[in-house]
Amino acid sequence: MQIGVFSVSDITTDPTTGRTPTENERIKASVAIARKVEEIGMDVYALGEHHNRPFFSSSPTTTLAYIAAQTERITLSTATTLITTNDPVKIAEDFAMLQHLSDGRVDLVLGRGNTAPVYPWFGKNIQDGIELAIENYSLLRKLWDEDTVNWSGKFRTPLQNFTSTPRPLDDVAPFVWHGSIRTPQIAEVAAYYGDGFFANNIFWPKEHYQQLIGLYRERYEHYGHGAADQAIVGLGGQFFMRKNSQDAVKEFRPYFDNAPVYGHGPSLEDFTSQTPLTVGSPQEVIEKTLTFREAFGDYQRQLFLIDHAGLPLKTVLEQLDLFGEEVLPVLRKEYAAMKPAHVPDAPTHASRVAKALEAKVSESATAGAAGQDA
């Protein structure tokens, strides 16, 4: 199980002090958080993409490249890379470059985002969102998998004898997760290609996400990539911890009540009862996180949103230290004990390179046998 952190990159006023961090402070904070993620032994740091206030992360690959230079082990990913409004050629180039700079420590989550105005800003129509996602991803795959691409489609200028550079590291493209919170077509695309499916299940009751993940697993098996329970699934989560549950609730409540994403909506108590948000002790975080497997089956990646709603950097780093000391070791032990032998781990660059080499050896042996028969 890969365990990590994702950020939506919001810049939000701290409701307890009235202070709003600057863009520079939040950008530098993302680097500090990623370094802490590695320090405490987590596996993944993921950063979202937005092109509007109150968010700062318009160029996640730039930030992740900077983080790559200051870390050695963690996987660097995106919480969403906008497959609909980014040029697939630029995605192919940027992530291949990041692959090389990070020695393969990179994958990405593709999605359509949740900001409607981004479409006209980049010359697109939101009504074409699903078609854009499907066509752009098809092209992205070709750009990574084929040295010379000749292509034409509905939404982009045709390509003739085009080679995306740099080529993917070791001729193995970054692993792709498809992120969705509501769209069955995206689950279908993930299943068709045998990619991962990241269900950011932090906002709605589990029954909604059970349907999406169930569809993805069913179609993953249909397309011959493995059994349904071997499909590659990632989930979101949220927590705020203190040693004492009452202290956690008291401290986090003003942040929850004023958060842009869910403030002035359901009560903290209602939200924690209906979604993965846990506000309490480390033991409560452990217990609730372990229930995700009961709802969604064995899965490969668990990411937590913790640096939002105006929480100061000092508090976020304290949360990570507490997680590393009291939660992470228990989750690792429990996940390892529960995981069936036939369920794969989350793909990494090293495992995908090994798989590609194995496929080449098998293909070569089959060709040799065919030649002898002839």
Side-chain angles (χ1 to χ4, degrees):
M1 171 70 74
Q2 292 180 338
I3 301 173
V5 162
F6 74 99
S7 174
V8 296
S9 82
D10 64 307
I11 301 175
T12 303
T13 301
D14 184 332
T16 67
T17 65
R19 184 180 185 279
T20 305
T22 66
E23 289 179 323
N24 181 266
E25 287 173 328
R26 281 292 284 134
I27 291 168
K28 294 295 181 65
S30 69
V31 178
I33 291 166
R35 293 175 63 178
K36 177 64 74 172
V37 163
E38 174 153 296
E39 177 187 319
I40 68 170
M42 295 175 93
D43 306 302
V44 182
Y45 178 77
L47 184 61
E49 178 185 351
H50 290 276
H51 298 274
N52 58 294
R53 291 178 173 175
F55 306 98
F56 69 79
S57 183
S58 59
S59 181
T61 52
T62 304
T63 311
L64 294 175
Y66 185 80
I67 292 169
Q70 301 188 43
T71 56
E72 298 179 354
R73 184 187 54 80
I74 56 172
T75 295
L76 305 168
S77 189
T78 54
T80 300
T81 293
L82 300 177
I83 186 62
T84 46
T85 51
N86 279 307
D87 183 352
V89 172
K90 198 70 173 74
I91 296 177
E93 295 172 339
D94 285 351
F95 280 91
M97 183 69 78
L98 182 55
Q99 254 196 325
H100 285 273
L101 291 172
S102 66
D103 294 323
R105 295 184 293 123
V106 60
D107 59 32
L108 66 159
V109 176
L110 294 177
R112 293 181 298 138
N114 58 7
T115 307
V118 75
Y119 285 85
W121 292 341
F122 286 86
K124 307 298 181 183
N125 187 331
I126 193 172
Q127 301 302 321
D128 298 325
I130 296 295
E131 283 188 276
L132 278 164
I134 293 170
E135 179 177 296
N136 284 354
Y137 185 56
S138 175
L139 174 55
L140 177 60
R141 288 287 296 239
K142 289 179 70 69
L143 290 164
W144 276 336
D145 294 344
E146 301 176 14
D147 280 340
T148 304
V149 172
N150 292 286
W151 177 91
S152 63
K154 179 178 178 180
F155 299 106
R156 192 197 185 282
T157 304
L159 296 172
Q160 294 182 346
N161 298 320
F162 180 80
T163 299
S164 174
T165 57
R167 302 303 300 145
L169 179 64
D170 301 318
D171 293 322
V172 173
F175 184 71
V176 171
W177 304 77
H178 298 261
S180 177
I181 62 173
R182 61 185 179 272
T183 310
Q185 292 96 323
I186 301 303
E188 177 75 18
V189 170
Y192 176 80
Y193 286 101
D195 295 334
F197 183 65
F198 189 84
N200 191 6
N201 57 314
I202 62 174
F203 292 123
W204 296 336
K206 65 179 182 296
E207 289 77 13
H208 172 80
Y209 300 98
Q210 284 174 323
Q211 292 182 2
L212 275 177
I213 293 172
L215 171 64
Y216 162 67
R217 289 187 183 279
E218 175 188 324
R219 301 301 288 171
Y220 184 94
E221 181 171 308
H222 169 79
Y223 288 117
H225 301 298
D229 64 353
Q230 294 176 309
I232 308 299
V233 174
L235 297 175
Q238 294 175 277
F239 65 79
F240 187 87
M241 290 184 293
R242 290 301 183 195
K243 295 277 189 178
N244 181 285
S245 295
Q246 289 75 21
D247 291 339
V249 171
K250 181 179 179 181
E251 184 176 350
F252 187 66
R253 189 180 296 280
Y255 294 97
F256 177 89
D257 288 345
N258 292 278
V261 291
Y262 41 49
H264 314 291
S267 69
L268 175 59
E269 287 73 18
D270 286 343
F271 203 81
T272 53
S273 70
Q274 296 171 14
T275 77
L277 174 64
T278 308
V279 181
S281 68
Q283 184 58 36
E284 288 174 303
V285 173
I286 292 168
E287 291 174 358
K288 186 160 187 177
T289 303
L290 291 176
T291 66
F292 299 169
R293 178 178 177 272
E294 298 172 10
F296 305 110
D298 290 291
Y299 63 110
Q300 285 77 13
R301 176 173 285 185
Q302 174 64 60
L303 300 184
F304 294 98
L305 174 63
I306 61 169
D307 73 324
H308 64 120
L311 288 165
L313 176 61
K314 178 177 180 292
T315 301
V316 174
L317 297 181
E318 289 171 352
Q319 293 289 301
L320 287 170
D321 278 330
L322 188 56
F323 187 91
E325 292 165 6
E326 300 200 21
V327 178
L328 184 60
V330 179
L331 289 182
R332 289 213 186 283
K333 180 180 177 181
E334 293 296 327
Y335 281 134
M338 294 186 295
K339 177 179 170 294
H342 72 283
V343 172
D345 294 327
T348 63
H349 183 72
S351 70
R352 300 187 77 223
V353 168
K355 186 175 181 180
L357 180 60
E358 182 181 316
K360 286 183 179 179
V361 170
S362 176
E363 182 181 332
S364 185
T366 301
Q372 290 177 355
D373 290 341

